[in-house]
Every structure is written in C-alpha cells, then in structure tokens.
Amino acid sequence: MTIQENLRKLRQEIPDSVKLVAVSKTKPTNEIMDAYQAGQSVFGENKVQELVTKQIILPKDIEWHFIGHLQTNKVRQIASFIDYIESIDSLKLLIEVNEEAQKNNRMINCLLQFHIASEETKFGLDKESARCLLDSKEFSEMRNIRIAGVMGMATFCTDPEVVRTEFRMLRQYFTLLKQEYFINSPEFRELSMGMSGDYRIAIEEGSTMVRIGTAVFSDRMYN
Ligand SMILES: *Cc1c(COP(=O)(O)O)cnc(C)c1O
C-alpha cells in the first residue's frame, strides 16, 4: 500500500471531527512530501534535531506537533514554528515554552501529557501534579501558551479492554480539568489519544486527535 492509499483509507474511517496527526518520526522528507501532496498537512515528530532538520526543508504551511519527551534546554530550537507541544509533563517545561514563545512573539498550543499506561517508562503527569501545575502562580501569569487539552499513550497491549480502560481514564482527566479549570475556555478541547494499533478504540472513547505513524508510512526502521 502506498502512503496515499493508507491516508485515503484512514480518512474514510476517522470522523471529520477527529484530527489526524501523521507521525513522521524516522521517515525521510520525501515520504512526508508524498503524504503532504495527498492532502495531509499535520505531522508529528518526537526528536528536536530531526524535527528542525525537516522543518527547514519542508513546506511552511505544515502544522507541526511535538509528541516526544522534551528537554527544557531544547525548547528554544522549535519555539519559532511549533504549533502544538503535546507532551507537557512538568511546570518547568511549560515555563520554558512560555518564555520562548514570548521571545518569538507567538502563542504555542500545549497539551498536558498524562501517564495512563502501566509501563513505568512512559512520561506524564498524574491528577495531583496536573492540579499543582495549574494552581501555580507561574501558570497564572503565562501569556504565550494555550492549554488546548490532554494527551496520553495506552499500554502496548493486545487486550483491547485494558487499552479502553486507560483511554477512559484519560477522558475522565480531561473532563475533570475542563470542569475545574477550563469551563470558560473553549480552546481546551483536545483529547489526543490513539495510535496505529488502538485508534479505533480511542475514537470510540472520545478522542479528538489521533497520532498515527505506521498505519500511514508503514513500519519504521530504527538504526
Ligand atoms: C510513535 C508515536 C506515535 C505513533 O505510533 P504508531 O504506532 O506508529 O502509530 C504516537 N504517539 C507517540 C507519542 C509516539 O511516540
């Protein structure tokens, strides 16, 4: 299957209200161009250096989402162009994003990443640390970030009910934060969940944004 065919199939399956983020990590720019020419303009990357290299060459109307663990000292390199940072997992990181966005005189959309999987290795906030962040004086003074919702990754697991339970938990966090902090903030609306193996379940559980790599570009080769 070509990238174009993969995208056409995915678009038939994914409701129009759900944003498709094509995860292009490890993929060469010519493959990203194939997807772009097939009408895909939203892409996700998880490594700063790789993203910067690609962004320079590729069309400037691409909407870039950063989806990996982000070190504070690397925010500066992407602050002039990044559209969404989906992986905010600390107040320290959010402070840095706000500062760098301010230097570039722009707004950066951010999602709070929650830890919902049983694997220890995955990053993310829990309910208490998210509240702590949102209650902070530093957060109340930020003017150059927009909290647009939450993101999470389910356990790599073949049992769909485990995955479904984790997505439900993420939706509960979303609803809770919406009620407690963002009831008058229409921009807080994204529930980013679902990858190639579990996007159908994620959409059933209310996802508004799916991050799909292998089902668009076929298997990744890590070297
Ligand atoms: C790689 C990655 C994806 C996409 O994974 P696929 O299984 O290839 O669809 C989605 N989200 C994050 C955070 C990722 O790192």
Side-chain angles (χ1 to χ4, degrees):
M1 291 261 273
T2 65
I3 290 169
Q4 193 178 358
E5 285 166 343
N6 290 341
L7 280 168
R8 179 154 28 81
K9 242 186 73 206
L10 283 165
R11 287 206 197 94
Q12 278 168 359
E13 229 185 306
I14 297 171
D16 289 342
S17 57
V18 175
K19 186 181 271 199
L20 169 59
V21 179
V23 175
S24 49
K25 62 189 187 195
T26 78
K27 294 297 174 182
T29 49
N30 65 304
E31 291 190 23
I32 301 176
M33 272 315 286
D34 287 347
Y36 179 81
Q37 274 154 0
Q40 179 65 31
S41 62
V42 184
F43 293 92
E45 290 281 340
N46 71 342
K47 296 265 185 323
V48 167
Q49 195 47 59
E50 185 179 343
L51 169 57
V52 168
T53 310
K54 289 173 174 174
Q55 191 270 339
I56 291 170
I57 326 175
L58 288 163
K60 293 299 168 275
D61 62 346
I62 286 179
E63 178 179 303
W64 290 107
H65 289 226
F66 194 83
I67 61 168
H69 183 59
L70 182 55
Q71 290 170 275
T72 49
N73 62 357
K74 293 191 175 165
V75 173
R76 189 176 40 82
Q77 298 181 56
I78 59 172
S80 66
F81 68 85
I82 197 74
D83 293 291
Y84 282 80
I85 296 175
E86 296 203 21
S87 44
I88 298 294
D89 57 7
S90 71
L91 176 60
K92 182 170 166 250
L93 175 59
L94 196 60
I95 291 171
E96 184 67 14
V97 172
N98 183 64
E99 273 176 21
E100 292 299 326
Q102 192 178 5
K103 285 182 198 161
N104 286 277
N105 196 24
R106 58 192 298 269
M107 291 289 281
I108 296 178
N109 296 301
C110 292
L111 304 185
L112 300 177
Q113 181 175 358
F114 277 87
H115 187 275
I116 53 169
S118 51
E119 290 118 313
E120 281 297 320
T121 47
K122 286 177 181 163
F123 291 96
L125 301 158
D126 58 24
K127 211 163 39 180
E128 282 65 42
S129 50
R131 280 206 180 102
C132 189
L133 183 159
L134 295 167
D135 287 331
S136 68
K137 180 170 181 293
E138 289 95 332
F139 176 71
S140 71
E141 292 169 349
M142 292 181 191
R143 297 290 172 263
N144 292 76
I145 55 104
R146 196 184 283 128
I147 301 291
V150 303
M151 183 272 250
M153 283 166 93
T155 307
F156 272 114
C157 179
T158 47
D159 181 354
E161 290 317 305
V162 170
V163 171
R164 189 180 296 281
T165 304
E166 292 172 353
F167 285 151
R168 280 192 187 159
M169 195 187 308
L170 185 62
R171 190 178 59 194
Q172 281 173 13
Y173 292 149
F174 173 83
T175 307
L176 191 87
L177 295 186
K178 181 82 188 164
Q179 286 165 351
E180 287 185 20
Y181 295 94
F182 298 104
I183 197 78
N184 294 314
S185 310
E187 70 272 15
F188 186 87
R189 57 160 185 251
E190 305 292 359
L191 185 45
S192 174
M193 58 187 195
M195 310 180 12
S196 296
D198 55 23
Y199 67 87
R200 293 183 186 89
I201 302 173
I203 291 168
E204 284 168 12
E205 296 304 327
S207 173
T208 66
M209 210 182 249
V210 289
R211 309 175 310 272
I212 300 187
T214 29
V216 173
F217 293 101
S218 78
D219 285 340
R220 277 183 296 274
M221 308 276 249
Y222 288 100
N223 45 20

